[in-house]
Amino acid sequence: MGRGVLASIRVRVVVLLALSMFPAAVLSVAQSVSNLHLAAETAKREILQEALLSATGARDFFSQTQVLLAALAAQNLAALPDAACAGRLAQTPHRDRYAALAAIGPAGDVRCHYPETSLPVALAGGPELQTVRSERRFVLSSRLAGAEEDDGIVLAIHPVIDEAQEFAGAASAAIRAEFLRLLLRRPESGDPVVTAIVDRAGRVIAGDGDVGRELSWLADVVEEQNPFARGARVVDEMRTGEAGYLYGIAPLFERDLFLLIRATNPVARVGFNMRFAATLAMPFLMWTIALAVAWYAIDRFVVRWVVYLQRITRAYSKGKLALRTGPMDEAPQEFRLLGGTMNAMAEALDEREEHLRAALDEQKALLREVYHRVKNNLQIVASLVNLQIRHVDSEEARDALSTMQGRLNALALVHRSLYEAEGLHRLDLARVLPDLVAHFHRTHAPDGANVRVETDIDPVMIDPDRAVPVSLFVAEALTNAFAYNWQNGESGVLRVTLKRAPDGEITLTVANTRSGETRSDVPLPGLGRRLMEGFARQVGGRNSAEVTPQEWRAILTFRLPDTTAEAPAEAPAP
């Protein structure tokens, strides 16, 4: 799983446990969601059946009204005298169900009506009569007689067709809203169900409860293609925008009148939602408790002892091999065995370290002795060269021997610094180069020349294989500076700098200035130049020389290899 959060054994075990228990939790949630959908579908089926049952009674009444009006239309009451027409209407059975009964003539005028008081609505001249006249069929339509909410009625009109198959008038009835409410009344039950008769525009004609005066969404439902394929349909809150209710709708007469039932959606009830939430939460609660117990057990019986042994191991890595694991009676047997193994390992390491320390001390002593003897031998050779210089008459030979003596002294200084340094395998150029410059100033400065020495050397740790060519490069540069750039009585400055750039590049510069004009014919192309090029190649760098009227400069630029210790190879994972 890599490094990071999942690297912890505690997290890994808990994650694996969570993954193993997750399918059961998902199945439990899926079952709860399935039960929720089942409850919603059951509620829809119940309200659908209730709408179909309630619509049956309303349809029967409207069918009876159609039969009644058909009988009145067959008598062609409009052709009778007014008194006879009114008498026939007064004898109509179940006339108390209707707010008014009327006979309408061919021109649409009301010939007679019952009761003889004013009509609750204008029966003649309305759009319903136009439909009856043109289509010659029975029509049911909703009308509002006034502005009050309870003034809604249902207007029924049946055409009168004469022997010539011409429109000869109509028989009309205005059905009382009070009777429709009695027709819709349901037995008392615990569920707050409201039943109403509405028209296609969503206007409530009559109802046994408050469903609202306007149900504008009903018009969109009615206009759908084949909206009542099952005899009725259910509309939920996604369509109505009224949260918490289901509507059952069944057509009563074509697409003009509908029976509507509004019931509370059981899925939206607070108690049901709380039970559903508890059903959803219970698996996750048990899941969380199991994970918490697993976390505690792993922390108590595994992580605690792993951390303890880790502290012991960290102490061993710092050399505290005398430390031992304490009593681990509460630890599992595997960790007690591991603790005993670590104690045995620490004892073996302590003993081996003592042997290694003794061997290392012996090797250091021998290496210091080698460096010391090499330095002494180089100084003896340099002294012999110095004796030879005194007995040589040739100026050219003395210069050559003097140059060789400077090289020997440079090597001797390097080896002296090596055996004086704390670490035998690395030395600081900031300690070697100033001594080398001071030695050349004492031994190679021309008589009577006033030469001031300036050094600016950064601490640079370097191994002996590179310290030797760097020191010899400086020796060659100093020899050239003293031999060719100052005469008796002249003054100048000898400047030696060693700088490390932020990118790791090291620049060594040997430069001199003199009071007179600097010679431009410095004989660098000889052996000294080739040696300096060779020393530069040994350290993997490059050398250059710059000459100006006031200054001569030799430059060595190089980089040290990255000494960062390589990461130890990791043991293969179990």
Side-chain angles (χ1 to χ4, degrees):
M1 294 185 183
R3 302 179 183 272
V5 177
L6 293 181
S8 169
I9 184 175
R10 175 169 42 197
V11 176
R12 290 190 182 188
V13 173
V14 170
V15 168
L16 290 177
L17 181 61
L19 292 177
S20 64
M21 297 176 60
F22 187 72
V26 171
L27 288 176
S28 178
V29 172
Q31 182 64 38
S32 300
V33 174
S34 176
N35 293 339
L36 176 66
H37 288 300
L38 181 60
E41 291 301 322
T42 301
K44 290 181 179 179
R45 284 196 299 270
E46 290 178 353
I47 195 171
L48 188 66
Q49 294 173 358
E50 186 72 22
L52 290 172
L53 182 61
S54 300
T56 301
R59 287 197 194 101
D60 291 343
F61 170 72
F62 289 133
S63 297
Q64 294 172 10
T65 300
Q66 183 178 6
V67 171
L68 174 64
L69 293 180
L72 293 176
Q75 300 176 33
N76 194 7
L77 300 180
L80 299 177
D82 293 345
C85 176
R88 294 284 183 91
L89 292 178
Q91 296 175 3
T92 302
H94 307 295
R95 57 185 177 275
D96 57 334
R97 300 178 181 179
Y98 306 102
L101 294 170
I104 302 174
D109 55 320
V110 178
R111 296 293 179 87
C112 64
H113 59 85
Y114 178 85
E116 297 181 359
T117 57
S118 60
L119 294 173
V121 293
L123 299 179
E128 299 86 356
L129 187 60
Q130 299 298 328
T131 302
V132 171
R133 183 193 300 273
S134 62
E135 299 181 10
R136 299 185 181 183
R137 64 179 179 86
F138 176 72
V139 172
L140 279 175
S141 178
S142 64
R143 294 288 292 275
L144 296 177
E148 297 298 327
E149 182 176 355
D150 293 336
D151 288 340
I153 64 172
V154 174
L155 184 63
I157 305 176
H158 196 288
V160 175
I161 307 299
D162 60 12
E163 294 178 355
Q165 299 300 315
E166 295 294 334
F167 177 77
S172 176
I175 304 173
R176 294 178 181 274
E178 294 83 354
F179 177 76
L180 293 177
R181 281 194 289 273
L182 292 174
L183 188 65
L184 298 176
R185 183 165 297 172
R186 304 173 66 255
E188 294 293 334
S189 63
D191 296 330
V193 178
V194 179
T195 308
I197 294 178
V198 298
D199 62 9
R200 66 183 300 147
R203 294 190 296 267
V204 178
I205 306 304
D208 67 343
D210 183 17
V211 294
R213 191 63 182 172
E214 296 292 338
L215 303 170
S216 57
W217 50 266
L218 182 61
D220 296 332
V221 174
V222 172
E223 294 300 327
E224 293 179 359
Q225 183 177 3
N226 197 15
F228 303 104
R230 298 167 58 186
R233 70 174 297 174
V234 177
V235 180
D236 57 19
E237 59 190 30
M238 298 296 294
R239 188 66 179 269
T240 65
E242 188 175 1
Y245 291 103
L246 291 175
Y247 287 87
I249 307 171
L252 297 178
F253 182 78
E254 298 181 354
R255 292 198 181 186
D256 295 324
L257 293 178
F258 303 90
L259 183 133
L260 181 143
I261 294 181
R262 188 187 73 176
T264 303
N265 189 350
V267 178
R269 294 175 185 170
V270 176
F272 183 88
N273 288 336
M274 291 182 64
R275 290 195 302 272
F276 177 69
T279 304
L280 286 180
M282 188 58 65
F284 288 100
L285 179 61
M286 299 301 297
W287 188 43
T288 304
I289 292 175
L291 295 182
V293 171
W295 183 281
Y296 173 78
I298 296 170
D299 185 77
R300 177 73 178 175
F301 300 111
V302 178
V303 176
R304 170 188 176 187
W305 300 107
V306 170
V307 172
Y308 173 71
L309 295 177
Q310 183 184 25
R311 290 200 301 266
I312 299 296
T313 305
R314 189 179 295 115
Y316 288 165
S317 67
K318 295 180 180 179
K320 300 178 182 179
L321 297 176
L323 187 64
R324 299 292 182 268
T325 59
M328 301 177 62
D329 298 335
E330 298 181 3
Q333 181 180 2
E334 292 79 4
F335 287 106
R336 291 200 301 270
L337 293 175
L338 181 58
T341 303
M342 290 179 61
N343 288 336
M345 179 189 68
E347 293 175 359
L349 289 175
D350 194 13
E351 182 178 356
R352 183 177 300 177
E353 187 176 357
E354 288 296 329
H355 291 296
L356 291 176
R357 190 179 295 109
L360 182 60
D361 291 341
E362 183 178 358
Q363 289 182 2
K364 286 183 178 180
L366 292 175
L367 190 56
R368 289 184 189 277
E369 182 64 23
V370 169
Y371 288 153
H372 185 67
R373 292 191 179 188
V374 170
K375 188 267 297 184
N376 289 340
N377 291 335
L378 289 173
Q379 286 185 338
I380 291 173
V381 175
S383 298
L384 292 176
V385 172
N386 188 43
L387 291 176
Q388 187 64 39
I389 291 174
R390 297 177 183 179
H391 295 83
V392 173
D393 296 331
S394 171
E395 185 68 26
E396 184 177 353
R398 281 199 299 272
D399 291 341
L401 291 173
S402 178
T403 301
M404 183 176 64
Q405 184 184 30
R407 295 167 184 159
L408 292 171
N409 286 326
L411 290 174
L413 284 173
V414 170
H415 284 81
R416 188 190 72 182
S417 299
L418 282 172
Y419 79 76
E420 290 178 351
E422 294 182 2
L424 298 176
H425 302 288
R426 297 179 68 80
L427 55 86
D428 189 358
L429 289 178
R431 296 184 58 184
V432 177
L433 296 185
D435 292 343
L436 185 60
V437 173
H439 174 77
F440 268 81
H441 183 249
R442 291 194 305 269
T443 59
H444 288 70
D447 296 336
N450 183 17
V451 180
R452 187 175 77 256
V453 176
E454 295 180 358
T455 59
D456 185 8
I457 300 174
D458 291 345
V460 176
M461 300 302 295
I462 194 170
D463 59 278
D465 292 340
R466 289 176 176 78
V468 171
V470 170
S471 299
L472 292 177
F473 180 90
V474 175
E476 291 299 326
L478 292 174
T479 299
N480 186 80
F482 283 113
Y484 301 107
N485 286 285
W486 281 294
Q487 303 296 328
N488 294 337
E490 291 182 341
S491 62
V493 177
L494 175 66
R495 185 178 298 104
V496 180
T497 61
L498 181 70
K499 294 295 179 182
R500 183 194 291 269
D503 61 355
E505 186 176 68
I506 300 173
T507 302
L508 172 64
T509 305
V510 178
N512 65 358
T513 58
R514 56 195 293 265
S515 58
E517 184 177 352
T518 300
R519 293 174 55 185
S520 60
D521 58 344
V522 178
L524 285 180
L527 177 61
R529 185 185 68 84
R530 293 196 297 273
L531 288 175
M532 293 173 70
E533 291 177 351
F535 297 147
R537 286 194 298 272
Q538 288 186 30
V539 297
R542 60 186 183 276
N543 73 300
S544 60
E546 298 178 0
V547 179
T548 64
Q550 288 78 29
E551 187 178 51
W552 174 89
R553 182 183 304 164
I555 302 172
L556 171 64
T557 303
F558 63 99
R559 292 177 180 272
L560 295 179
D562 187 7
T563 58
T564 303
E566 295 183 357
E570 296 182 355

